[in-house]
Amino acid sequence: MQTKKIVHVDMDAFYASVEQRDNPSYRGKPLVVGGSPNQRGVVAAASYEARKFGIYSAMPSVTAIAKCPGLIFVRPRFNIYRDISTSIHAIFKRYTDLVQGVALDEAYLDVTENKQNITYASTIARHIKTAIFQETQLTATAGVSINKFLAKMASGQNKPNGLTVILPEQTIAFVEKLPIEKFHGIGEVTATKMHSLGIHSGADLKGRTLSELTHHFGKAGQYYYKIARAEDDRPVEANRVRKSIGAETSFSQDLSDVGQMLQELDQIAQIVEQRLEQHQTRGRTLTLKVKFSDDRQITRSKTMLAPISELSTIFEIAKALFESIDLENRSIRLLGISLSNLDNAKQTQVIQLPLFQNAGIIF
């Protein structure tokens, strides 16, 4: 079977970088794109200057301002971000039509065969990065490897404005050395659980059997089993139709206060609204997901006659569904909101070095 050549391109602090590009007074200063702390907003994106203070996406704005009192808040301009994203995807299409957008600022490209017959995937990645900067004055980081998981991991190694290649013969050693909390698809709560099981690195994860991992992590255990072996057979799906948009939060400490639960639900609703805006879509079915401290999980759904995307409506429906649940003095580990039955004219996603040659596989 032919070895794949996958490129993952990730724009550097995309929304924040656009704002700093367009307003010189913002450059070099800690800045976030998102809602005001006075309105219980959340951070949609943080500049690298803000990240030095421990500020990150989805953080409550009131927490962000406490970490950095001089923080600049800018309202999102999704119409501008979408236009720039469209231009960046046009650059991708010069090389391949196998482009899977993950968001406005991130995409996978399968360049195993490419329109310009360039031998090395690393050369294509370099050309793309150069074109993006020349045409948008923004920087991107790229990762190159044999599958989506490894390309994603590679792009996270040298940000901002980096390019990392993981060659086929390097994949196993790379994964084995990777700290478990750095794995794409393993969040803070899962990483904490893995640590409690003695799993701290890719090598530790690889040492566990499939039955052990599925026992502790359910269906996700199959994914963890594969990536521990540097395996990922997911294709780059061009023009993939998005079926739902949502967000969820796992809590490092279980919540027992209803007021705090509703505050978290409000912040999740804000993130969902932002993602709906990013993708220019609305949804008719809202689903609330609740996981209790004993790992029991329930969902509640409501389908509306007309599609929705407004924050107030999303939160109102999610709150009503939440209040219909008998908590029975139980604590909650996770909350999530998603919208499906999307109503969208653009449901098809328009978003997601030296030359190397070794072991007969050319990168």
Side-chain angles (χ1 to χ4, degrees):
M1 186 174 67
Q2 185 180 26
T3 299
K4 294 288 187 180
K5 300 177 186 179
I6 308 298
V7 178
H8 180 259
V9 180
D10 191 6
M11 299 299 296
D12 298 322
F14 183 48
Y15 303 162
S17 294
V18 171
E19 300 304 332
Q20 290 178 320
R21 181 198 70 174
D22 293 349
N23 190 331
S25 68
Y26 293 158
R27 294 174 190 171
K29 298 178 181 179
L31 172 148
V32 298
V33 176
S36 166
N38 298 326
Q39 299 173 340
R40 295 196 304 174
V42 295
V43 173
S47 69
Y48 283 102
E49 296 85 358
R51 294 181 189 187
K52 293 177 181 177
F53 291 87
I55 296 167
Y56 52 84
S57 175
M59 173 180 283
S61 297
V62 67
T63 304
I65 196 71
K67 288 178 175 287
C68 178
L71 191 61
I72 299 170
F73 283 84
V74 180
R75 297 294 300 177
R77 298 185 296 157
F78 286 117
N79 58 325
I80 301 297
Y81 309 149
R82 279 193 295 267
D83 288 345
I84 297 170
S85 180
T86 298
S87 299
I88 293 168
H89 278 258
I91 294 171
F92 298 157
K93 292 298 182 72
R94 297 172 194 170
Y95 299 90
T96 178
D97 289 325
L98 291 177
V99 178
Q100 179 181 335
V102 179
L104 294 179
D105 60 344
E106 182 182 356
Y108 294 96
L109 292 72
D110 187 333
V111 297
T112 310
E113 298 178 358
N114 61 86
K115 295 178 180 179
Q116 299 194 25
N117 294 318
I118 296 174
T119 303
Y120 304 100
S122 52
T123 302
I124 294 174
R126 191 185 305 109
H127 287 179
I128 287 172
K129 279 168 48 62
T130 299
I132 288 174
F133 184 73
Q134 290 177 343
E135 297 176 32
T136 71
Q137 292 75 58
L138 299 169
T139 63
T141 297
V144 179
S145 197
I146 61 172
N147 59 44
K148 290 167 72 174
F149 169 74
L150 289 166
K152 171 74 173 179
M153 291 294 90
S155 69
Q157 296 300 300
N158 191 25
K159 292 183 71 70
N161 199 24
L163 172 59
T164 300
V165 178
I166 303 175
L167 296 170
E169 65 275 15
Q170 297 170 335
T171 59
I172 298 297
F174 174 84
V175 172
E176 288 182 347
K177 293 178 182 177
L178 198 65
I180 207 68
E181 57 270 16
K182 298 292 186 181
F183 276 61
H184 178 57
I186 295 180
E188 180 182 352
V189 173
T190 301
T192 299
K193 184 173 181 178
M194 286 190 175
H195 288 162
S196 71
L197 296 170
I199 302 173
H200 300 278
S201 67
D204 294 333
L205 185 61
K206 187 179 177 182
R208 301 305 174 98
T209 65
L210 177 59
S211 60
E212 284 181 286
L213 293 176
T214 53
H215 171 71
H216 289 293
F217 303 103
K219 290 183 179 179
Q222 299 178 12
Y223 172 73
Y224 302 149
Y225 181 83
K226 285 188 174 183
I227 60 176
R229 290 157 177 76
E231 298 173 3
D232 182 4
D233 53 7
R234 296 173 300 160
V236 173
E237 297 179 294
N239 301 323
R240 181 166 61 97
V241 175
R242 181 177 289 275
K243 296 181 179 179
S244 67
I245 287 178
E248 62 183 38
T249 300
S250 295
F251 310 112
S252 54
Q253 292 185 333
D254 297 341
L255 303 184
S256 56
D257 179 74
V258 173
Q260 189 177 3
M261 295 173 190
L262 289 174
Q263 185 175 2
E264 293 288 351
L265 202 64
D266 183 27
Q267 291 167 357
I268 295 168
Q270 290 185 54
I271 297 170
V272 173
E273 181 201 34
Q274 290 172 357
R275 292 177 178 174
L276 290 167
E277 176 66 20
Q278 289 172 24
H279 292 282
Q280 293 182 285
T281 189
R282 302 173 299 169
R284 292 180 57 240
T285 299
L286 187 146
T287 299
L288 173 72
K289 177 180 176 181
V290 179
K291 181 182 286 187
F292 296 102
S293 56
D294 59 3
D295 280 335
R296 178 177 170 242
Q297 180 176 301
I298 63 172
T299 59
R300 296 289 185 271
S301 298
K302 182 174 182 179
T303 299
M304 283 64 72
L305 293 176
I308 64 166
S309 61
E310 300 78 16
L311 171 61
S312 58
T313 309
I314 294 169
F315 178 68
E316 179 183 343
I317 296 169
K319 181 174 179 286
L321 291 172
F322 177 79
E323 291 175 342
S324 72
I325 298 171
D326 185 0
L327 295 177
E328 301 173 349
N329 296 318
R330 302 169 72 188
S331 54
I332 286 179
R333 180 163 296 169
L334 175 149
L335 286 171
I337 300 171
S338 64
L339 279 168
S340 55
N341 286 334
L342 300 181
D343 174 28
N344 177 11
K346 296 185 178 180
Q347 275 196 25
T348 298
Q349 284 190 348
V350 188
I351 329 265
Q352 0 201 275
L353 294 171
L355 304 182
F356 295 92
Q357 182 172 1
N358 211 304
I361 306 299
I362 301 174
F363 271 68

